[in-house]
Amino acid sequence: MSEETRLIRAGATSGDLVKTVGPPIQRGSTVLLPCAEALYDDDAYLTYGRAGLAAHDALKAALGEMERAAGVNLYPSGLAALTGAMLAVLKAGDEVLVVDNIYKPTRRFCDQVLARYGVAVRYFDPRQSPEDLVGSATAATRLIVMESPGSLTFELQDLAAIARLAKARGILTLADNTWGAGYLFKPLTQGIDISVQALTKYVGGHSDVFMGSAAASDLALVRQLEDGVHNLGWAVAAEDAYQMLRGLRTLPTRLKRQGEAGLKIAAWLREQPEVAQVIHPALPGAADYDLWARDYSGACGLFGFVLRPGSEACANAFLNALDLFGLGFSWGGFESLAILCDPQLGKRKFVPDLAGPLMRLHVGLENEDDLIADLRGGLDAYARATA
Ligand SMILES: Cc1ncc(COP(=O)(O)O)c(C=O)c1O
């Protein structure tokens, strides 16, 4: 053989890899098949790398275990999981009911893309009863999309009741369960058809990888979602799948720590004179506490609070005085973050009455007493600005 052919053939993949704790990170678009018959035998052989290799399979298996799912599909981001799952089950002429406190980019997709493809979108009040919600469905209603607790205002919904009523009408249900992370709450066990989460948040846990998942307990639905991924041509990198699996190993430990710290900080905030209201479903006395206690095994570190009346400039004075809380839109990582929510509430139809600026905090893995001291500094700045 010539030197160039020798170099192409040299160092080929070994069939026998040693066993490590994590899966092998296989990089590959090409999959080499064992014989000619295997080339078109999609049932028996994986024929192309876009469908995922060893690290993807390991991640899907672990997520499936956590979600109690028959199968899980991976997407390049949490938003892609939401949009991909909706595209996989909806068609022109269908109607989708979407909770009004949905993550804003999901709403933008519904308004700008679904509407253009002939799917009618109707937003419902997160406080609407399951009976009224499902009762409002028409013959065209194909899917109900929920997020519980909802983005920014954290209302909980009775997902089990909605799923039961929807199933009786032949309507599919989808829950964005990023707050519950597939661990604190398991939508499929409550009868929800599709459980979606942005793995980017708590599963990744380090604010450095994008990915989403959609899990289902019905195998035919898993296949339908999988077809959706394949038809759109999406793929996630093996390194990213490996990183997600690594994050999953410490998910329970991080959630416990961050959830407890978040509750301690929420309880402290409730006592501060500059704070009008704390919105945290797991805080005893909260509007949704009973539902949270029924459905959740714990809380994550994300919640909101309302300051006493003050201008946006005063709210910015609070944020700018923070040092340990970074100013950033994401959450679920090891670091604490804060944002002002008010500018994002504009498009909503059902916003609760809020006495003043609405803040969202994400409590990370820092010491909670240090975080409380940081927040006290922010509240002092707010008190000065509003004086
Ligand atoms: C509730 C919720 N769902 C989905 C997403 C989207 O996740 P990603 O950033 O991975 O697209 C986010 C991101 O902030 C979110 O907060």
Side-chain angles (χ1 to χ4, degrees):
M1 274 190 278
S2 71
E3 186 70 6
E4 56 200 325
T5 304
R6 286 162 68 108
L7 278 180
I8 298 289
R9 305 275 302 208
T13 315
S14 148
D16 304 310
L17 294 168
V18 294
K19 194 167 180 193
T20 48
V21 173
I25 298 179
Q26 286 182 290
R27 296 175 59 94
S29 50
T30 302
V31 171
L32 291 175
L33 291 151
C35 58
E37 289 73 17
L39 281 170
Y40 293 100
D41 189 354
D42 292 342
D43 292 336
Y45 295 95
L46 178 78
T47 54
Y48 195 48
R50 196 168 51 216
L53 301 166
H56 307 79
D57 288 350
L59 175 62
K60 286 184 200 175
L63 289 171
E65 182 84 26
M66 179 169 77
E67 297 260 13
R68 311 284 190 267
V72 178
N73 285 290
L74 302 177
Y75 301 79
S77 70
L79 182 59
L82 289 155
T83 62
M86 283 193 252
L87 285 174
V89 299
L90 291 169
K91 60 178 187 328
D94 285 345
E95 180 191 53
V96 56
L97 305 183
V98 181
V99 70
D100 190 52
N101 57 11
I102 197 82
Y103 175 57
K104 201 172 161 206
T106 308
R107 186 183 198 113
R108 196 172 51 220
F109 167 81
C110 292
D111 293 343
Q112 295 185 4
V113 182
L114 287 185
R116 186 151 46 87
Y117 284 89
V119 175
V121 182
R122 187 149 53 88
Y123 293 97
F124 63 90
D125 184 345
R127 294 277 177 228
Q128 192 172 26
S129 74
E131 290 75 17
D132 288 350
L133 167 62
V134 180
S136 78
T138 67
T141 309
R142 172 74 182 131
L143 177 70
I144 301 177
V145 175
M146 290 154 281
E147 190 183 309
S148 176
S151 273
L152 308 177
T153 41
F154 298 95
E155 297 92 341
L156 279 190
Q157 294 162 270
D158 189 341
L159 263 57
I162 295 171
R164 183 169 32 81
L165 294 166
K167 202 152 278 181
R169 298 265 314 258
I171 299 167
L172 287 173
T173 48
L174 180 156
D176 178 341
N177 185 38
T178 304
W179 197 91
Y183 182 76
L184 303 170
F185 177 61
K186 299 182 191 298
L188 301 183
T189 67
Q190 306 287 315
I192 292 290
D193 294 303
I194 307 171
S195 169
V196 174
Q197 70 157 314
L199 302 170
T200 312
K201 310 295 179 195
Y202 277 107
V203 173
H206 294 74
S207 309
D208 52 6
V209 192
F210 279 102
M211 203 179 294
S213 63
S217 42
D218 175 66
L219 209 50
L221 189 53
V222 173
R223 296 282 165 259
Q224 194 176 349
L225 294 169
E226 191 175 70
D227 283 348
V229 178
H230 293 169
N231 289 337
L232 289 167
W234 285 339
V236 305
E239 285 85 350
D240 290 354
Y242 186 96
Q243 290 276 79
M244 280 302 165
L245 190 60
R246 182 151 79 166
L248 194 68
R249 305 300 184 209
T250 57
L251 177 70
T253 311
R254 286 183 284 109
L255 276 175
K256 184 170 185 332
R257 174 84 178 78
Q258 288 174 256
E260 286 172 1
L263 270 171
K264 181 172 170 183
I265 291 170
W268 175 84
L269 276 170
R270 197 149 67 170
E271 304 304 318
Q272 305 311 302
E274 298 83 3
V275 175
Q277 186 191 355
V278 175
I279 311 178
H280 191 317
L283 200 58
D288 292 304
Y289 181 81
D290 289 346
L291 210 45
W292 172 82
R294 186 194 75 179
D295 287 349
Y296 283 76
S297 62
C300 74
L302 190 78
F303 65 95
F305 71 95
V306 182
L307 288 161
R308 296 219 177 272
S311 64
E312 187 171 326
C314 297
N316 287 341
F318 166 80
L319 290 173
N320 286 328
L322 299 176
D323 178 31
L324 294 179
F325 283 85
L327 307 183
F329 283 102
S330 197
W331 49 284
F334 57 85
E335 77 288 13
S336 290
L337 296 167
I339 56 164
L340 171 67
C341 303
D342 298 8
Q344 292 192 53
L345 299 175
K347 274 225 149 194
R348 288 208 190 160
K349 288 162 74 180
F350 307 97
V351 183
D353 275 343
L354 302 170
L358 173 63
M359 293 287 169
R360 187 182 75 183
L361 293 184
H362 176 256
V363 173
L365 289 167
E366 303 90 343
N367 176 282
E368 56 265 38
D369 293 330
D370 293 339
L371 293 175
I372 284 175
D374 200 33
L375 290 169
R376 190 57 256 166
L379 293 176
D380 289 344
Y382 189 71
R384 283 194 298 277
T386 50

